[in-house]
Amino acid sequence: MRNAFVAEITTLAAKDERIVLLSGDIGNRLFDEYKERFPARFYNCGVAEANMMSLAAGMALCGLRPITYTITPFVTTRCLEQIRLDVCYHNVPVIIVGTGAGLSYASLNASHHSCEDIAFLRMLPNMAVVCPGDACEVRLALRAAVEYNGPVYIRLGKKGEPVVHLQAPQFTIGKGIIIQDGLDVCLLSTGNLLPTAVQAADELRQRGISACVVSFHTVKPLDEAILSDVFARFKVVATVEEHSVLGGLGGSVAEWLADRSFLRSHLLRVGTPDAFIYEAGEQNYFREKFGLTAVMIAEKVQQTYQVNTPR
Amino acid sequence: MFMDSDGFLITEMESIARRTRGKLVEMSHVARTPHLGSSLSCVDILVAAYWGFLKTDPQNPGDPNRDRLILSKGHAATSLYVTLAYRGFFSLELLETYAQSGARLAEHPIYGSVPGVEVTSGSLGHGLSLGLGIALAGRLQGYGYRVFVVMSDGECNEGSVWEAAQFAPIHHLDNIAVIVDYNKWQATGRSNEVMALSPLKQKWEAFGWSTHEMDGHDLSSLVEVLRNVPDGTGKPVAVVAHTVKGKGISFMEDDNNWHYRFPNADEVQKAKWELGLL
């Protein structure tokens, strides 16, 4: 995802002079080509994210399209007030790009974990929260964000994730993408767990359960049309995300559902627990631990489906 | 040093500053709003800006090449509102609606509320970074405008101020100036006792800024230094403006009770009499 981000932003900057890339002292060598081609439109803002964010808002007030980039917690919660007041209150088109969604940097300890960022940012009025599911969606999300007339948060994984889309789908901020339709259950996935959600659907098929998979890349604004459709059609709708079960996609859908009556449908939130991590380990170790592998997700969905389906 | 015509202008500006102070006292009384002391301390800075060194046209407040003034110490909003109204950015009648329910003029400035308010402020430590973004945008887009950021001394407690202070010199952003309204008080104490603020000028200097120290109530010094931004050093400019909180009204001067207090009717009369407005 990271490499797709850099490639796409370099392509976009060639076409759009409003684009300015602001980095929080990260991406060693990553931006070499960009810097060489657009030296006046790259600023290493140092380890000073609050300044970077307000500075971006100032640029956007003048018609530019600044992109702030660093590791997810530092470009979100570290400078949340700057995002809230300077970016969102002024409602200016700053594109905030965080790399290291969820447990991508699990081994680096809680300072680099990012399982609350969606919750924090989606609370802010005017903010769009976009979590691409693979490298293809990263490129499309960036293109859409540059044209979007307001703040956008783009939540990247790391590098080398599997690609789900073999062809570029239609991509609109606020509109989910149906990866495959199904008959029994529905998986709404946001962000870097999309490849796992697709595998979970395969696993469910082997267990005799047909699963619809949606790349619900935009957590805000919520795609209410898709939600209305899937809650009307499926007995189990599961949200799948590498983010806390509080406040992310699962939280958003639960809030949406609370004001509506879908009596035959059950919401299952799959995500990370409401807890910090106090041990070492890589992303896959913690995915296993928190039940975020394809098999474990399929197992949970199957159980919920069976409980809600009288034999 | 000023020519005769400028000398005349300074006298005129002094009179505007006096009337501005009278209006601030009245507004604080009517709306029962705090921060009067903070508003009074930066009146001369704002008058020097709008009548002396800002290249801006009240008839064309959206001109992309206008100089920008950012009131980062947003709690002095009334000071900004009165100077903008007196300068012709919007009608004087609007001042009478200040802080009323549903009115445009809130106790801290809101972006887009009236012409001349360039950003929303109120949380300290944001204005300088916003200003840097605007200054950089001006450079990238080929405009010659300058950005002036009015900050408070208490605001210098904020870490983000010093993030911004490190950014500007390395990028040779010389089209921006900070004016610190150094009135020696913050909300609940002396600004040199709450945090180790002093020596303030040397701090900005050490961060790579072209620094000046002056009497922040001396209109001609303010205009003389700030009209010359960029100053040829290639550095951003920082002015440490020594001011008196509550300036202009004897019983408010340097009395921090007026950070939160608002004056009663007698005090308004007394203040206006002292200002020569009665």
Side-chain angles (χ1 to χ4, degrees), chain A residues 89, chain B residues 27 31 33 74-79 81 94 97-111 113-114 117 120-121:
Chain A
Y89 190 78
Chain B
M27 286 165 75
T33 55
H75 53 289
T78 50
S79 238
Y81 296 153
L94 207 56
T97 68
Y98 164 65
Q100 288 177 7
S101 299
R104 285 148 76 187
L105 303 179
E107 285 182 49
H108 290 83
I110 298 173
Y111 171 66
S113 58
V114 283
V117 171
T120 296
S121 52

Side-chain angles (χ1 to χ4, degrees), chain B residues 160-229:
Chain B
S160 55
V161 168
W162 303 104
E163 291 187 8
Q166 291 172 80
F167 182 92
I170 212 73
H171 296 290
H172 310 289
L173 268 181
D174 59 0
N175 58 342
I176 188 161
V178 159
I179 304 131
V180 183
D181 175 11
Y182 194 4
N183 62 30
K184 319 296 184 297
W185 285 106
Q186 50 198 85
T188 64
R190 283 282 180 199
S191 48
N192 272 304
E193 292 170 4
V194 176
M195 298 281 262
L197 194 64
S198 180
L200 193 54
K201 176 174 182 270
Q202 287 88 330
K203 282 198 172 75
W204 287 95
E205 211 158 58
F207 275 73
W209 291 58
S210 175
T211 53
H212 303 262
E213 200 160 15
M214 66 182 66
D215 175 355
H217 302 300
D218 180 351
L219 292 161
S220 35
S221 302
L222 287 163
V223 173
E224 191 187 324
V225 167
L226 290 162
R227 64 160 46 152
N228 285 326
V229 173

